[in-house]
Amino acid sequence: MVASAAALGGFLFGFDTAVINGTTDAVKAQFHISSTYLGFVVSSALIGCAVGAWFAGPLADRFGRVRIMVVAAVVFAISAIGSSLAWGPVSLMVLRVFGGLAVGAASVIAPAYIAEIAPAHLRGRLGSLQQLAIVTGIFTSLLIDQLLAHAGGGAGGNVPWGGEAWRWMFASATIPALVYGLLSLRIPESPRYLVKTKDLGKAREVLSRFVGGDVDLRIKEITRSLAGNDDVVRLSDLRGPRLGLLPIVWVGILLSVFQQFVGINVIFYYSTALWHSVGFSSNDSFLFSTITSVTNIVTTLVGIALIDRIGRKPLLLIGAVGMVVSLGTMAICFANATGSGDNLRLGPLAGPVALVAANLYVFAFGMSWGPVVWVLLGEMFNNKIRATALAVAAAAQWLANWVISTTFPTLADAGLMFAYGLYAFFALLAFVFVTRAVRETKGRELEEM
C-alpha cells in the first residue's frame, strides 16, 4: 500500500500526458493554430517535466522524498485549474509547463522511493507499480475525456453544467492531484534517507515494519554504502571518464531516451486524432484510444508478473523485438495510404491491420520497456547518487519525450510511414544497446549496486 501511494505520482504522470489527447482538435480550432504550433502546445508540459525531474533528485536529498511528493501534488493541482482557464495558446503552454514541474518531480521520486523501501525479492514488482499507475492514469484520463466529449457533443462543445468540454478535461486532473497529496502525508520517509540524516531510530522502525530481516545489519550496510556522503549530492558528483559522466549514468540516460524514441507517447498524445484521420468517426476514435489504454494496463500486469522471475534484461530484449515487428508493420500499412493530412485514408485491409499492430506495439512496450526502465532507474544506481542520477536520467527521458511529441505532427504531415519506420529503427538500436550495456539487477540488494 505504501508503494502504491508513492506510485500515484505515476498516475499524475500518465493522466497529465494523456489528458491532452482529447483536447487537441478543440484547442487547435479554438485558438486557430497550425499543426506545428499544436505540437508545441501538446508537448509544452514536457519542458517543465524535464526541469522538474532535473532538480527533484537534489531537492529530495535535501528535504526528503515525502516532502517533495506533497509539493508536487500542490503544484499539479494549481496547474490543472489554471489550464482549464487558459485564454490562449501561450497561457496554456505556460500553465502546462508549470504542471510539468510537478509531474517531472513525481516521476523521479516514485521509483527512487519504492526501490528504497522495497525488499529485494519484491522490488521489481513493486517498482513496476509506477508504470501500472502511469498506464492507469492514461486510461482514466482518456475515459474522462470521452465522457466529457460525449456530454458536450465534442471536445469543443459546451457541457450541460457550463463551459467547454476540453476545459473540464484539464480541470479533472485536480482530483488525482489532491488524492496524491493526501496519501503522501501518510506514508513513511525512505529508510535510506533517514539513515543519511542520522535518524536511525525512525529508519529502524520503517525497515522493521516494511522490509523485515536483520534490521540492524541492514542499517549497517546502508550506513557503509553512504560513507563519506554526508552532504547533498550535486550534479557535479556524477562526473566520470565517459564523456564527462559516470558510465552507469550514461546507461540510465540512454535507457530513458530509447524508452521515448520508440514513439510510445505518440499513441497516447495523438491517437484520437490519428484514428480519426484514417477513417474512423470521432466516437470510434475515442473508443479505439480507450481500448489501446486498456491493453496497456493488461500488458503491464504481464510485465509485473514476469519481472522478478525472468529478470529485467530479457524483458527489455523481448519487448524491443516486438516493437520492431509491430512498428514495421504499421509503417508498411501507412505506406499504402491514400491522401494526406486530414484526408489520409487506409484501405479496408490495412486499417484493421494497423489497428492490431498498434495494440501489439503497446503490448510489447507495456510488458517490457514501460515498467522495466523505471525499475532499473530506481535500483541500478548506488545509494550515494541514486536520487540525483535518476533525476538526470528522467530529465533526459522527458526531453526525448518532448522531441518525439513535438516532431510527430510534422512527421505525420510528411508521411506516417516515415514516422513509424523511424520509431522501428530506434527500437532496433535499443535492442543492440541492451545487449551490450545493460546488466541484470534481479534479486540484488541496493547496497550491492
Side-chain angles (χ1 to χ4, degrees), residues 364-375:
F365 179 89
M367 55 83 67
S368 59
W369 283 79
V372 174
V373 168
W374 287 113
V375 170

Side-chain angles (χ1 to χ4, degrees), residues 51-69 71-72 101 105 108-109 189 193 196 232-235 387-388 391:
V51 175
W54 183 268
F55 290 104
L59 289 174
D61 278 338
R62 180 179 294 276
F63 300 108
R65 279 58 166 149
V66 172
R67 286 193 181 98
I68 301 303
M69 292 182 196
V71 171
L101 296 173
V108 170
I109 301 304
E189 184 53 84
Y193 174 78
K196 183 175 181 178
V232 174
V233 176
R234 294 174 174 81
L235 296 172
T388 302

